[in-house]
Amino acid sequence: MSRFLASLVVLGLLGLQSAQAGFRVDTPELMQQVVSSDPAVRTKVIEELRAAGPDAMRPLFELRDHLQMLRDAARQAGKDDSLAVEQLARAEGVIDEVAAQRYACHSRLYWFTDLEAAKAVAVKEKKPILSLRMLGKLNEDFSCANSRFFRTTLYANEDISKLLRERFVLHWKSVRPVPKVTIDFGDGRKLERTLTGNSIHYVLTPEGDIVDALPGLYGPAAFLQHLQDVLPVCATVQQLEGQARVNNLTAYHQSAISKLDQRWADDYQSAAQALGLPVSRAVGPDELKNTLTAAQPAQQVQLPPAAEPPAGKAVRVAVPKMRIERRLVNAAVPSDPVAVTDERLWEAIAQLHAKEAQLDAASLSLIRSQNPTAIRAGGVTRGKRDVEDPLLRMVRSLQGSIAIDTVRNEYQLHRQIHQWLAAADHAEVEQFNEQVYAQLFLTPSSDPWLGLAPADAYSALPNGGVATK
């Protein structure tokens, strides 16, 4: 262990100090406590490093990388790697707790759980805040489903991680515990899953004013683009005060609604054309459903590359006439995306944005590490691997699901959020979040059972199967 500690100095892990006067986050003694076999020692060092803030993360990541190097070197030399493996697991556990995020070794992010502390840092560094609201806790395995996907598909993404580290101060808050179900098969096997729950990312000014909010799960490229687009808005708003700030944000959300409506019209027309639906007049939800049932087989719709209806092309021919003709073309599109409920249409629209849901190598690496059983099951002949590898099938299915979530969240939920924020002189984040969870996510804080235990449903169980401590 002494040679390892000496190597930390060689790695250059000196010079960082926390806000606590005289407290260093990178001493060999402190790093030794991180990999201690004594849980009480690790608990104490977690508290100290957590209080040190984001500065504590870099030496921890250096420590983890070095432990990986020692483990790999031992394996290559055919030597016992058990000590390095144990220390690596302990270091990664400490990193997750200090960062307040599960799999922080992959995201390399630090999250505040106190909004006032996040605001103080944001004001000092002149950065906006990305505030996540969720069910459960981000540093626990069983947080709500969306937040679990955030950790693997978004935060682990190299481009997103870099942007979040450099341009935002990060914060999360648990809205309420996440409901969890355990299925006991009676032979020692158990299956654990979470039920219901949704998450939302708020982009806040350093003072805590809402600039924008992204509800639910987005594809990595779509999420990254939204954050990049909102940064200049944050910078402009930061220079304004009072009514000028309100007016600027109102204009931003009104413009966003207009752009969303236009993208919806384009996507709807492209998808409708691919499904063989007429777009020369408005199509109601019932008629849409009947047309799809009669004309389309129950299979995934394959769209041609860059599909675009003739009407859309015609509008672009004469630029001076665009505004007038756009109105005529858009009249054939349902104005409210919420009214469109047919899943095959949403699948067709999602395929137009399939690239926005593709996962990068970093996310795939994390997913692979979470699913060793799938990797072993994929041990087939090399020529069949692309077809039969269960992990590849899992990723393809995941990306398809993310693509659908992206378009539905954007056109149905984000559009409503823009409308609410455009009409508000000032939106206080806690109150606004109550509205989001009650009216968009349909899980109001007034319902302690999250809709899972309706009072009028008979279960043939004593007290409806409900137990309280």
Side-chain angles (χ1 to χ4, degrees), residues 176-406:
R176 62 199 299 176
V178 62
K180 185 172 68 173
V181 61
T182 299
I183 302 174
D184 191 333
F185 287 86
D187 57 2
R189 294 177 301 133
K190 293 183 179 181
L191 182 66
E192 291 185 311
R193 290 290 190 271
T194 57
L195 295 176
T196 193
N198 214 326
S199 309
I200 181 169
H201 289 94
Y202 290 99
V203 178
L204 310 176
T205 66
E207 299 81 16
D209 293 336
I210 300 175
V211 178
D212 205 346
L214 297 176
L217 180 62
Y218 279 72
F223 187 76
L224 180 66
Q225 189 63 58
H226 275 300
L227 294 184
Q228 291 172 332
D229 290 345
V230 81
L231 278 171
V233 182
C234 294
T236 299
V237 167
Q238 193 58 29
Q239 305 301 316
L240 303 174
E241 296 180 356
Q243 193 60 43
R245 174 179 286 198
V246 172
N247 293 343
N248 186 276
L249 286 173
T250 298
Y252 163 70
H253 291 292
Q254 289 175 339
S255 175
I257 294 169
S258 178
K259 292 175 182 178
L260 256 180
D261 288 346
Q262 191 55 67
R263 288 200 299 271
W264 164 250
D266 291 341
D267 282 354
Y268 181 90
Q269 291 171 67
S270 295
Q273 182 194 37
L275 294 171
L277 295 175
V279 293
S280 58
R281 59 185 178 82
V283 181
D286 293 337
E287 182 179 356
L288 174 62
K289 180 177 181 180
N290 294 336
T291 303
L292 285 168
T293 301
Q296 297 295 323
Q299 61 185 16
Q300 190 176 29
V301 180
Q302 298 296 324
L303 295 181
E308 186 176 23
K313 292 181 179 179
V315 167
R316 294 179 174 86
V317 172
V319 176
K321 297 190 295 179
M322 182 174 295
R323 292 186 178 180
I324 297 176
E325 294 184 351
R326 276 291 189 190
R327 295 173 185 172
L328 298 177
V329 173
N330 292 353
V333 178
S335 59
D336 185 1
V338 177
V340 178
T341 58
D342 193 282
E343 292 301 321
R344 278 171 291 180
L345 184 66
W346 282 110
E347 288 176 3
I349 293 174
Q351 287 188 48
L352 298 171
H353 298 271
K355 289 184 178 181
E356 297 177 9
Q358 290 182 353
L359 307 181
D360 75 343
S363 289
L364 293 176
S365 175
L366 174 53
I367 292 173
R368 187 172 291 273
S369 71
Q370 292 176 319
N371 295 273
T373 303
I375 295 174
R376 289 194 296 270
V380 295
T381 60
R382 193 172 185 84
K384 295 182 179 180
R385 182 173 297 277
D386 289 341
V387 177
E388 299 180 357
D389 188 340
L391 194 65
L392 293 179
R393 294 199 298 271
M394 180 192 301
V395 169
R396 282 196 295 268
S397 175
L398 172 61
Q399 290 180 156
S401 176
I402 292 173
I404 292 176
D405 277 0
T406 299

Side-chain angles (χ1 to χ4, degrees), residues 408-420:
R408 296 196 76 146
N409 288 335
E410 182 66 1
Y411 287 133
Q412 294 182 324
L413 304 186
H414 198 191
R415 185 176 184 273
Q416 179 62 72
I417 285 173
H418 281 307
Q419 291 177 333
W420 285 342

